[in-house]
């Protein structure tokens, strides 16, 4: 081809690159101080994270990571901001075609002969692409297992910087209308979402056509934590490899700058430091191979040292092929790029561009074109001559297929990282891709030929001519064929171009794991589109940037939330902790070993993993590997699959019944009929399970795996037939086991995809769990001693799929256990194989007897199923057990229809009536090429609730893969036969019912249906002459299994009530083998519930029941409502009294201890902080107070003020007067201020969050974490309703209903008091803690933080604390020798600065005066102390009022907060009234004092108080030490109303309070004869402070504010961020010390700080 043709080819492809997602330019170029040329880089540097590639993923990834850690970004290209306008829309093709040395685009040809490009610029592909921006296909998000809310927030984060609405002018409007006319509907307007139909898309070009790119996202970065080097070409990754065969670890990279000088960047010595490769689908595998990770043969041929032989690196490389039609236009067209997109039902994406410059045209077209086109072509040449480009008036309409199946690979061309490797995409290798292309091209042709598009068509040019024109252009190097334009299939193959959507070359599951860690390597990840299995919709760039935002959050906590991208059923989690057992180490140690990842094992392991290290050994594979295999329609096919990797292992019981055992993760729930129903209440009662815990456990399961079963024609007829047969009442849809007919739940979703117990592993804590598949346990290991002590289980021996033996041992911990959850067959089998069972049987097998246990394997039972097959004259749906009838006799009647059946013999076992035979033949439907048969009809069957017949199990061999001999002894007991007959009679009534008749052949009798059913080979049992004439014989002859095996390791016979194997330590069995009976219609719900309920650690005898403490030493159980004697050992106080094993008195503490974190103060911040830290580290909490759970009811709502004014030694509140004369309190109790406050709960003012620059997604998650435990909607009764209505009447609008949010207007607030008025506090958040990692000491008063200081002038380092217990004994707690260990002070706005000063960090002059050695002179410690002043009006009421605390709140436009409480005991007022009151008020006052005479420190008024506080007071004070005793409250100056603006704010608030009091809505709670001034006089009389009153106190609102002020206990500001601590709460000038509580706030975060303080702790 001549040179001009090459130029034209390249440029033309660039034109069409319009569709690719890569380019960048900002309207205003950021001036990043941290972006420099690599020539300025040091020769050696150290970083926590090294990101290779500053592209579409690398930029958002680095920006996000930089908030928490130090990041180096190495970008091989330059800056996109260096040449203004170069990346603008108008220059799209010019810059793509730019061949200069500093071009942003590196051109290459794939080995398929297609011209391609790679970005080499900061911002990556987003700098060179066509700018199209759209979210991922929802199916992609679902398949990837991504959290939709997190995805949405990450997209929004990106879009805030660089997404704009695309303009739609003439050409694009015509394309839009043409798409709709072509049937690509509906029209979805402008949207970022991926929706089928036609839409207007977003773009990264702004309204001025300037490009914005991923490089713009670096504006989010924390400059001090990030360094970006340009023209930094990474040559290779550096690895260290151990001598003992340990895994290689990435430790750094070698890169060259623009001058060719070499630099080395190393990771810091931190186990979490990592190299992250984000170099794109070509660059990432290239760098891995250059570094020694890839196919060994290829690397060796290149002379590259092999670090890891990884043959999948560079494989599965794919691209979305692009094909289109060029359309010359008779009219001028705008310059446009991909504004409109059509997403067809078949998954083709149709887009268009127009008016762009094309490359120079060749001297001659590759193929002849029509005379009209040739003339146009020559005129264009004359017009533009030999200029760089030719512009044709018109454009291109193109298509791509969403998910191409063809894949290729790449190979290194050389060891030069600047040289593009050899790349094969293998476009259209799969015929399905050709078919997809043809469908897309057909849609394009319909658009081109549409009426809407006609004005942009030359009427004389046919579609064939347009195809010829397009084929004539040198769009690639592939040959043309005679039929290129006559065969769309050939046209697709001949004219393909790239869409630059390269992906798949480092796929999840093949090169990286689901956390993007490179398999077999430590410290190395790949995060970019190379990991994708498919592209995420119309264009990947939005999702690649979103991925860069989402990944770091998880990366920082070493747990990635993003699953890999795979095609699977509707919900297919890809657990990174699930691996083949072939990858398991020979030896491992675990706290818990769960044998069997089945219906019980999965929820059990997920639950245990919340706090412990768990190993699960599953003998089968994953249920997610074969999409659709477990769908509803394939239920029976899956059961009878006899392949080696079948999920069901078939066997015949010794009774001659076909049976199955699951061998798959998820167990029986992955192969059963999906029916889900809770247990018969009688079962729960008999097993003595705690009903409240049972309910919680069921709901935990149901949240993941249950759905309402659909009820269509067949099932509706069954339902109505049951009711007609007397199985009533009709109970609609319910989970409960209720007699009558109901709609059941199912584990099949609306799309008939199965969800199983394996899905419950989504609850697991990934860092604490490992699941090995195809791990067959051969034996449990025991230790036995000669002294006759009990055997103890210590481990297991298992084999992987390759037959290699492994051992897993329990850790040396008294609580470690092996839990067998292998089902009613597998569990007794394993016990016997391990030496626990009938001694004679074991000895006969040569098995060493560990424990002679004759009951193992006995009492084996199953529910027999008997049925009637009903061929139907009508088509029926595929259905499984949607309806169930539970009869008075405890028969369960169910049905299924339209399923694939097993192959049937050519001749029936017994002759059939000719009509039945004909109906049977006609209703058999061949299913594909299989031998399966589908009956047009269904089965109606029955089973008995509690069969009495039982059997046993015997080992067949010592091979655990071989099913033992199993006897169920169906119908051995006559009572079971009677029950079956009763059930069959009910079925016959249903079949003969009027409701069911349309699904019956009228000429076929019931007897003939029984004959048909008996003729089927449902079992191996013999038939008898009277099989269908005697219902008793029919039951005996036709039983099949319902797979409800149970009883072989029964409680009381093999295991105790806690499921411990009798006579053996550290071994339990938890599954249906322990049941005496099945728990209702189906056991699976209860088996999964049991896995959650029996968590192996805290069983019901240890768990505290929820109960409400009553008077006279009685308590009511919350679950049963039974009242009995109060017993602290069995009751949780006031509905929530966790019995924390890790909370102890400090008197029990050792003299010296070591911890990773020491939290001083177990308060509103300290408790959630410690709970969170304990998830991953060892934490000590030192709380100076006691437990909030000791005195029942003490903290209840009614006793709020009594608790505040309790002066006993055990009081939770320490009283003090501020130096302003205000009566105040400090908490001294676990839970801090949340135990003594008014319970009000509200999120922060958005302004506060904005100012503090907190990540809103994390803030939301943290609030929700808190609210799950302790936030409730507050009840609104009389008084509060009147306050609410009065606020609205006073203009505090609008009404915002119940909300957590801080919104101007009136709202109903949340509370930490539950519906019974019981308080929940921050101490409850310790329920989240990992008990193994946390210790909380009560009455532990910290006296001093210990520092080490060096003589060389280095910063002091906190190393420990000295604390004193309740007996005055001194203890020392020190930090471990770990650079991340820290002391965190969370002692509140008074306690935190006090402790800093007592420890030598504070104003030097003050410390020296106290004789305290100065560690750091920090004059701002204790300064800026502030409080939100409270002022209000007491309103006595003529009517009784409820006890209420702050449910209604008004937030005014001026940020006054108006709240109220009522019916509470109040603080005392002085004997002589300070100001005369009206007679009525005087009488009320006197009577109130008499009513609460037993409480000398309180009075109670029948009424309440309406109060106001200002949102952001300006007046501030300070804290000074009073002594060196940490128990003595310092001097505190709040300086209320020091600023006149605060007085003005108070006056505005009081004016609103007065409007409320005087409103019509509130009038019924006012004495009409008492004026507002009288009420203010009354309020001023109360001794809420010791400030003097004035003659005009009640007449002047400014004076009233100053005289009647009291505290709202919202102390803050004494250790402010920026003055005492930095933005990460580290104390300035000191290492290893932080302060995290409200003392760091510049302002309170809204109406109330407690929600935000707890959120901050999280």
């Amino acid at each position: 081809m001549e040179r001009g043709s090459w130029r034209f080819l390249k440029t033309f492809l660039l034109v069409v690159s319009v569709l690719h997602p890569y380019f960048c330019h900002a309207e205003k170029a950021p001036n990043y101080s941290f972006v420099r040329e690599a020539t300025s880089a040091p020769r050696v540097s150290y970083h926590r994270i090294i990101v290779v590639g500053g592209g579409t993923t690398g930029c958002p990834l680095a920006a996000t990571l930089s908030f928490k850690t130090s990041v180096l970004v190495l970008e091989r290209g330059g800056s996109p901001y260096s040449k203004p306008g170069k990346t603008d829309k108008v220059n799209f093709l010019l810059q793509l075609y730019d061949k200069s040395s500093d071009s942003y685009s590196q051109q290459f040809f794939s080995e398929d002969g297609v011209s391609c490009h790679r970005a080499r610029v900061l911002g990556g592909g987003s700098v060179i692409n066509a700018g199209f921006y759209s979210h991922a296909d929802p199916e992609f998000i679902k398949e990837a297992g991504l959290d939709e809310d997190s995805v949405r927030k990450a997209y929004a984060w990106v879009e805030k910087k660089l997404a704009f609405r695309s303009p739609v002018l003439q050409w694009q409007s015509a394309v839009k209308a043409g798409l709709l006319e072509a049937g690509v509907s509906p029209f979805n307007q402008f949207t970022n979402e991926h929706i089928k139909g036609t839409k207007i898309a977003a773009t990264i070009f702004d309204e001025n056509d300037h490009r914005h790119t991923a490089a713009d996202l670096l504006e989010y970065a924390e400059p001090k934590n990030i360094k970006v080097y340009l023209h930094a070409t990474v040559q290779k990754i550096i690895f260290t490899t151990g001598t003992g065969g340990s895994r290689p670890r990435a430790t750094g990279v070698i890169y060259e700058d623009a001058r060719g000088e070499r630099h080395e960047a190393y990771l810091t010595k931190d186990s979490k430091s990592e190299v992250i490769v984000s170099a794109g689908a070509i660059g990432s595998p290239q760098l891995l191979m250059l570094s020694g990770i890839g196919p060994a043969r290829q690397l060796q041929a290149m002379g590259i040292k092999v670090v890891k032989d990884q043959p999948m690196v560079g494989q599965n490389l794919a691209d979305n092929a692009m094909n289109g039609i060029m359309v010359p236009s008779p009219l001028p067209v705008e310059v446009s790029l991909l504004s409109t997109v059509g997403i067809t039902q078949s998954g083709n994406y149709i887009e268009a561009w127009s008016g762009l410059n094309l490359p120079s045209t060749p001297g001659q077209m590759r193929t002849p074109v029509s005379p009209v086109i040739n003339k146009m072509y020559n005129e264009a040449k004359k017009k533009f001559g030999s200029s760089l480009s030719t512009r044709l008036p018109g454009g291109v309409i193109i298509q791509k297929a969403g998910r191409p199946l063809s894949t290729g690979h790449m190979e290194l061309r050389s060891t030069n990282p600047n040289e593009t490797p050899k790349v094969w995409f293998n476009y259209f290798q799969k015929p399905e891709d050709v078919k997809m292309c043809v469908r897309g091209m057909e849609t394009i042709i319909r658009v081109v030929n549409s009426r809407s598009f006609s004005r942009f068509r030359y009427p004389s040019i046919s579609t064939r001519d347009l195809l010829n024109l397009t084929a004539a252009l040198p769009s690639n190097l592939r040959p043309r064929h005679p039929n290129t334009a006559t065969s769309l299939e050939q046209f697709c193959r001949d004219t393909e171009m790239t869409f630059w959507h390269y992906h798949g070359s480092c796929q999840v599951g093949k090169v990286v794991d689901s956390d993007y860690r490179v398999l077999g390597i430590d410290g190395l990840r790949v995060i970019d589109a190379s990991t994708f299995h498919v592209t995420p919709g119309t264009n990947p760039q939005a999702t690649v940037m979103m991925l860069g935002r989402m990944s770091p959050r998880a990366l920082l906590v070493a747990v990635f939330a993003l699953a890999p991208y795979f095609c699977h059923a509707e919900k297919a989690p890809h657990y990174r902790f699930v691996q083949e057992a072939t990858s398991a180490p020979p030896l491992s140690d675990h706290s818990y070993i769960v044998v069997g990842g089945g219906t019980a094992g999965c929820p059990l392991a997920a639950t245990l993993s919340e706090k412990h290290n768990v190993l699960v050994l599953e003998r089968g594979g994953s249920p997610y590997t074969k999409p659709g295999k477990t769908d509803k329609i394939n239920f029976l096919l899956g059961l009878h699959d006899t392949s080696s990797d079948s999920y069901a292992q078939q066997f015949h019981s010794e009774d001659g019944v076909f049976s199955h055992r699951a061998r798959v993760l998820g167990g029986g729930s992955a192969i059963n009929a999906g029916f889900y129903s809770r247990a018969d209440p009688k079962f729960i009662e008999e097993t003595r399970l705690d009903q409240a815990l049972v309910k919680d456990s069921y709901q935990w399961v149901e949240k993941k795996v249950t759905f309402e079963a659909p009820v269509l024609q067949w099932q509706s007829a069954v339902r109505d037939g049951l009711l007609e047969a007397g199985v009533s009442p009709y109970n609609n849809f319910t989970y409960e086991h209720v007699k009558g007919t109901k709609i059941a739940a199912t584990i099949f979703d609306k799309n008939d995809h199965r969800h199983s117990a394996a899905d419950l592993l989504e609850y697991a804590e990934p860092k604490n769990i490992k699941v090995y598949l195809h791990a067959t346990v051969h034996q449990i290991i025991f230790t036995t001693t000669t002294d006759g002590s009990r055997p103890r289980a210590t481990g297991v021996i298992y084999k992987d799929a390759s037959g290699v033996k492994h051992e897993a041992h329990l850790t040396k911990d008294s609580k470690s256990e092996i839990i067998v959850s292998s089902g009613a067959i597998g569990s007794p089998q394993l016990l016997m194989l391990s030496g626990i069972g009938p001694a004679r049987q074991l000895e006969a097998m040569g098995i060493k007897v560990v424990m002679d246990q004759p009951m193992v394997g006995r009492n084996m039972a199953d529910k027999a199923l008997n049925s009637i097959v009903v061929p139907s004259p009508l088509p029926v749906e595929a259905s499984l057990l949607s309806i169930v009838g539970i009869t008075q006799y405890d028969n369960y009647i169910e049905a299924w229809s339209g399923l694939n059946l097993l192959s049937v013999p050519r001749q029936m076992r017994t002759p059939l009536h000719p009509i039945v035979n004909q109906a049977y033949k006609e209703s058999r439907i061949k299913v594909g090429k299989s031998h399966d048969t589908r009956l047009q009809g269904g089965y109606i069957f029955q089973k008995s609730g509690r069969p009495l017949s039982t059997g046993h199990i015997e080992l067949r061999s010592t091979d655990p893969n071989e099913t033992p001999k199993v006897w169920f002894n169906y119908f051995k007991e006559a009572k079971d036969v009677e029950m079956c007959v009763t059930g069959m009679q009910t079925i016959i009534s249903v079949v003969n019912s009027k409701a069911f008749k349309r699904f019956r052949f009228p000429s076929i009798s019931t007897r003939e249906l029984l004959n048909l059913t008996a003729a089927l080979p449902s079992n191996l049992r013999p038939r008898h002459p009277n099989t269908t004439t005697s219902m008793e014989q029919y039951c005996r002859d036709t039983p099949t299994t319902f797979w409800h095996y149970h009883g072989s390791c029964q409680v009381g016979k093999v295991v105790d009530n806690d499921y411990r194997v009798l006579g053996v330590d550290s071994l339990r069995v938890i599954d249906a083998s322990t049941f005496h009976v099945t728990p209702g219609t189906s056991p699976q719900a209860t088996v999964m519930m049991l896995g959650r309920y029996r968590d192996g650690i805290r069983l019901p005898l240890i768990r505290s029941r929820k109960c409400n403490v009553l008077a006279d030493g009685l308590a009511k159980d919350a679950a049963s409502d039974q009242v009995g004697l109060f017993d602290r050992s069995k009751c949780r106080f006031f509905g929530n009294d966790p019995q924390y094993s890790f909370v102890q008195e400090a008197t029990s503490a050792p003299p010296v201890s070591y911890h990773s974190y020491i939290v001083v103060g177990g308060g509103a911040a300290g408790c959630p902080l410690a709970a969170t830290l304990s998830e991953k580290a060892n934490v000590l909490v030192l709380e100076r107070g006691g437990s909030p759970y000791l005195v029942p009811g003490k903290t209840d709502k009614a006793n709020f003020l009594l608790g505040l004014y309790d002066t006993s030694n055990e009081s939770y509140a320490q009283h003090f007067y501020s130096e302003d004369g205000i009566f105040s309190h400090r908490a001294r109790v676990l839970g801090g201020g949340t135990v003594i406050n008014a319970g009000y709960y509200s999120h922060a003012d958005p302004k506060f969050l904005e100012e503090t620059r907190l990540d809103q997604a994390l803030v939301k998650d943290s609030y929700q974490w808190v609210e799950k435990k302790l936030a409730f909607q507050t009840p609104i009764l009389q008084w509060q309703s009147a306050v609410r209505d009065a606020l609205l009447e006073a203009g505090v609008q609008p009404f915002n209903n119940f909300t957590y949010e801080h919104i101007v207007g009136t709202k109903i607030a949340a509370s930490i008091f539950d519906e019974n008025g019981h308080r929940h506090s921050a101490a409850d958040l310790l329920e989240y803690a990992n008990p193994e990692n946390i210790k909380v000491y009560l009455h532990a008063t910290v006296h001093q933080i210990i520092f080490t200081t060096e003589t060389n002038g280095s910063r002091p380092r906190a190393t420990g604390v000295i604390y004193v217990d309740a007996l005055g004994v001194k203890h020392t707690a020190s930090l471990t020798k770990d650079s991340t260990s820290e002391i965190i002070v969370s002692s509140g706005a008074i306690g935190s600065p006090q402790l800093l000063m007592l420890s030598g960090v504070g104003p030097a002059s003050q410390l020296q005066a106290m004789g305290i050695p100065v560690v750091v002179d920090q004059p701002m410690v204790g300064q800026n102390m502030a409080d939100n002043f409270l002022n209000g009006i007491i309103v006595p009421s003529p009517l009784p009022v409820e006890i209420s605390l702050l449910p209604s709140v008004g937030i005014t436009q001026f940020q006054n907060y108006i709240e109220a409480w009522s019916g509470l005991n109040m603080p005392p007022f002085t004997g002589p009234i300070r100001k005369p009151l009206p007679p009525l008020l005087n009488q009320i006052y006197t009577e109130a004092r008499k009513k609460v005479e037993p409480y000398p420190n309180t009075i109670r008024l029948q009424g309440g108080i309406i109060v106001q506080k200002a949102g952001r007071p300006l007046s501030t004070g300070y804290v000074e030490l009073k002594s060196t005793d940490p128990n003595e409250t310092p001097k505190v100056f709040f300086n209320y109303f020091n600023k006149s603006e605060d007085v003005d704010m108070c006056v505005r608030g009081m004016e609103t309070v007065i409007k409320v009091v005087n409103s019509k809505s509130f009038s019924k709670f006012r004495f009409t004869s008492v004026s507002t001034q009288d009420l203010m006089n009354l309020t001023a009389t109360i001794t809420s402070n010791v400030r003097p009153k004035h003659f005009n106190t009640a007449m002047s609102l400014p004076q009233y504010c100053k005289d009647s002020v009291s505290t709202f206990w919202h102390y803050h500001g004494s250790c402010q961020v920026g003055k005492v601590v930095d933005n990460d709460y580290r104390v300035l000038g000191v290492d290893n010390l932080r302060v995290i509580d409200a003392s760091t706030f510049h302002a309170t975060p809204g109406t109330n700080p407690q929600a935000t303080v707890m959120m901050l702790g999280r």
Side-chain angles (χ1 to χ4, degrees), residues 597-599 618-621 639 646-651 659-672 822 825 1043 1045:
T599 314
E618 168 53 48
R619 73 185 187 119
L639 268 186
S646 166
Y647 299 159
Q649 181 177 1
Q650 301 177 43
F651 69 97
S659 303
H660 307 82
R661 298 170 62 190
R663 51 180 177 193
V664 62
L665 189 66
S669 67
I671 64 171
N672 66 18
S822 300
I825 296 173
W1043 309 280
Y1045 318 139

Side-chain angles (χ1 to χ4, degrees), residues 59-75:
C59 285
L61 176 67
T64 304
L65 286 169
S66 72
F67 272 89
K68 298 279 184 180
T69 192
S70 81
V71 185
L72 172 67
V73 181
L74 299 171
E75 168 52 48

Side-chain angles (χ1 to χ4, degrees), residues 756-779:
S756 73
D759 292 13
L760 299 175
L761 290 173
E762 291 184 13
Y763 284 120
E765 173 54 54
K767 69 173 183 179
N768 288 343
I769 188 172
K770 183 69 72 177
V771 180
Y772 288 128
L773 302 178
H774 298 113
T776 305
V777 176
H778 282 240
Q779 181 186 345

